[in-house]
Amino acid sequence: MKPDYKLMTVLLVVLGVLDLAAVPFMVAANHHTAGTPPVPAIIVTAVIGVATLVSAFGVARGLRWAFRVALTCRIIDAASNFLGLTNHPSAVTTVGGGVGLILSRVATVLLVGLNPRRVARRAAATGAGVAGPASGSQPERSSAAMQ
């Protein structure tokens, strides 16, 4: 596991487990309570949870596809949590939606900041800016080469 991605990986695993843990509660609420999540929302939550867990292992290794998948999952999950937060059929779903929304937003910010492609572009821009104008157009020659 790359050290830079440790916090991100742990957060993604927690979010994936929380998504999967929410599915049985959503199913139970769907049959007993009015204003509950529809069946497609339950299925999407389960798929998002599995995809987040799979992408967490790719993020730990710094794979580009994993960052894209994780970012997509967190955006969809944030939208889902926002809808759960605004419909608030119970206090538990309101609190769960709020916590899920905040954690998904934190994960989104971390994923964008730690994306390998973006980090590589920043390093290249910083390296080119330092090496370009500061070093001049000609490399230094050793005294042996001049003789």
Side-chain angles (χ1 to χ4, degrees):
M1 176 185 304
K2 293 189 175 191
D4 296 343
Y5 304 138
K6 189 177 278 189
L7 174 64
M8 184 71 256
T9 303
V10 170
L11 181 59
L12 287 174
V13 168
V14 167
L15 285 167
V17 168
L18 288 176
D19 285 342
L20 291 176
V23 170
F25 294 107
M26 293 170 75
V27 169
N30 191 345
H31 297 297
H32 301 306
T33 318
T36 58
V39 174
I42 297 169
I43 293 169
V44 167
T45 301
V47 170
I48 293 293
V50 170
T52 300
L53 288 174
V54 169
S55 68
F57 294 107
V59 167
R61 295 176 55 205
L63 302 174
R64 287 183 189 170
W65 67 264
F67 281 84
R68 291 184 199 131
V69 170
L71 186 61
T72 302
C73 289
R74 292 300 94 211
I75 291 170
I76 293 170
D77 192 54
S80 174
N81 283 321
F82 179 74
L83 292 174
L85 186 64
T86 57
N87 289 334
H88 51 77
S90 70
V92 173
T93 57
T94 302
V95 170
V99 170
L101 181 63
I102 291 168
L103 289 177
S104 287
R105 296 303 299 157
V106 168
T108 302
V109 169
L110 287 174
L111 282 166
V112 169
L114 293 175
N115 191 328
R117 178 176 278 172
R118 182 180 172 137
V119 169
R121 271 191 248 141
R122 262 188 280 162
T126 304
V130 170
S135 65
S137 61
Q138 296 291 326
E140 290 186 29
R141 295 183 186 188
S142 68
S143 60
M146 294 179 145
Q147 295 177 358

